[in-house]
Amino acid sequence: MANPTVDKLKTLALRFADKVAVAITAVLCLVFVFLAVSKETIDTTPDRVSEIANQAQQNINRQQEEKAIVSKIEEDGMVLQDFGTQVAKRETTKVDVRQFALARAFVKAEPGAGLIRDAVNDELLAPYELIATAGRGGMPFAVRDESGNLVPPDPNEKKSSMSGMAAMYGMGEGMMPGMGSGGMGGGTAKKNVREEQLAQRQENVSTKKSQAAIAGAAGLPIPEEEESTESTAPVDFKTEVRGQRWVAVVGLLNNKQFRERYAKALKIPVESPESHPDYKRIELSRQSYDPVAGDWSSWTTVDPTTLEQIVADVAFEEDPTVELTPDPVRLDPIVSFLPYLSAGYWAGVHHAQLIPPDKLRELLAEKEEKDDVPMGMMGMMGMMPGMMGSGSGEMTQEGMMGMMGPGMMMGGRSDMGMMGGEYGMMGGMGMMGMGRPTAAGPEHMTEEDIIMVRGLDYTVESGTTYRYRVRVVVANPNFNREDVAPGVDTEAREISGPWSDPTSVVRVPADVSIFALNPARGGYSEDTVVFDVAAWDTNTGSLVVSTFPTAPGQFVGRPAQREVAVEGEDRPQNKVINLQSRQLVLDTMGGQTPVQNLGLPSTFELPAVVAVLRPDGTIALHNQSSDATDEQLQFMRESYRLSISNELNKKSRGNDIGMMYGGMMGSF
């Protein structure tokens, strides 16, 4: 029950509290006004201020006699000290500064003296301006038997296969297969085909050189080397083409800043070869997108061992002309080699910032001159900002010839050419057991300020969306050293740098992809829409793009006879290709729409929008405005057109086109 007194007080406060507050404020205001009126005003005027300032200046400038000053000081009780006499007395006492000398002088440690080397773990840098580009094609692989030995070629098939390979590059039958050395830029775990072919040759050349050296040391005439009648071509092997998907991740690395940070941590001059990081490899980490959950998976490191196993038996490397960047910006350990593609072309494997300007202008001019290429100059320039630096630049690798030595691709080179000279693929004398001095720096180093990184992920799945991170792994420069600061890790052989920022999303195309182009015209129903169907053969890696008008209730695509490029054949062959997408058109909209009372033509065409039912039961919408301009579709169209054309340089031409499209294919 409420208290009556409290209720009365509350009612009184609600009725009169505001009136009381106003009354108090009015009283205070009157008091302040009265005080202001009753107080005397300040009697200071500008003339009075000026007079006082002049008096002060005169006092400052007035000259006073020394005696008057001394007299005034004595009157105030200050006693003058005889400083002169005191100083004269102290001069008789001599002070020896050596009594105050330090027992040990300050010494700045020279490089290499004492425990001075710091850890470099925090000095490592992450790659930047990364772009991920999906691709697929046909790769020739060496065939092995159940024992793991290379299978010799079928004499009836060898000529056809080799002539097809040579025709793509304009080479003769002396072309030599060159094997890759690792998917991530490092050496493979198991002995690959190239190692097996060159092991015996290395041993033979080393023996001949040793014999010649011994004969010369004994003062005996050096026997002339007899001209060998043995073929310089390596032992051949059987190959088979397999379809291969991949995502190429390319980016830049600040090698100059890397060296400066290394030199600072290791207390060595930046000009020293030892300041060069000993790059070992790059590592890829990826996320995949789940469209059902609408979320990304956790980051997972791509297993480098799996990648090495995939590329260990790659039969051929691409021609060195495929590489558009200078050799010094491509270091083998951090730049994956490009396998030869018997079908398809490389896209997004070069970085535009490192391509020489004259080469880039040449490519741009070639694009502009080719009127039949779907991608015009405007599309080119729209793609260039992504290539030149918005976190989506492309990059390139050191290429096969950097790993293989100058004579690797041709069978007619000398023994030294096959070994890449004394400093070629086999690592020169350092690889033959003689080692290298530490001061000589790492095996792979460059004076370039900015270099490339490139990784190829061959473990991707079709129709999946990914994004990637990259990090660099280097050899520990303090491994097994004693001249290091306390706490520095001297046991780990390798150390890993920080992860880069994630790339933009990249979608690996489905094996059969559909694209809505436009409403059908001429003899078709109003709800019929024209589709482009791109079918990729997982066995051969070949691609076919064909057009199919499709109405609601029909499946997009069907088996049809189309021209397709065949390895070893000079002309495309007509074959029945399965272009069935297994996607059912549910409904369409778009086409000619009437317009009234706008002073315009009576109809205009709306872009087609199509709802399709996928094999997994999900429904997808295809829009003409996005599908018809899709960059992956443009690249696939041009790739297919070029694969069945009669252009002599179509291999080089296709790779150039792939480079130009690569910057645009990193998103979906």
Side-chain angles (χ1 to χ4, degrees), residues 124 258 262 277-280 472-476 493-496:
L124 304 186
F258 228 127
Y262 251 49
D278 188 1
Y279 300 113
K280 290 301 182 183
V472 177
V473 179
V474 299
N476 184 3
R493 291 181 176 271
E494 297 177 345
I495 50 179
S496 301

Side-chain angles (χ1 to χ4, degrees), residues 396-410:
T396 169
Q397 80 171 47
E398 179 138 19
M400 63 181 158
M401 294 305 288
M403 295 188 294
M404 293 165 47
M408 204 47 200
M409 288 298 295
M410 301 300 295

Side-chain angles (χ1 to χ4, degrees), residues 17 68 78 84 96 265 295 325 333 394 410 416 530 607 615 626 649:
M78 297 181 63
D96 188 357
D295 196 9
T325 54
E394 303 176 3
M410 301 300 295
M416 293 309 298
V530 178
S626 58
N649 63 336

Side-chain angles (χ1 to χ4, degrees), residues 7 50 80 185 190 205 258 296 335 425 438 472 502 609 650:
D7 290 342
S50 178
L80 297 177
K190 69 175 182 177
V205 173
F258 228 127
W296 291 92
V335 177
M425 189 204 85
T438 303
V472 177
V609 179
K650 61 181 179 181

Side-chain angles (χ1 to χ4, degrees), residues 330-345:
R330 291 181 274 111
L331 299 181
D332 287 352
I334 56 175
V335 177
S336 297
F337 80 99
L338 298 179
Y340 172 81
L341 298 180
S342 60
Y345 305 102

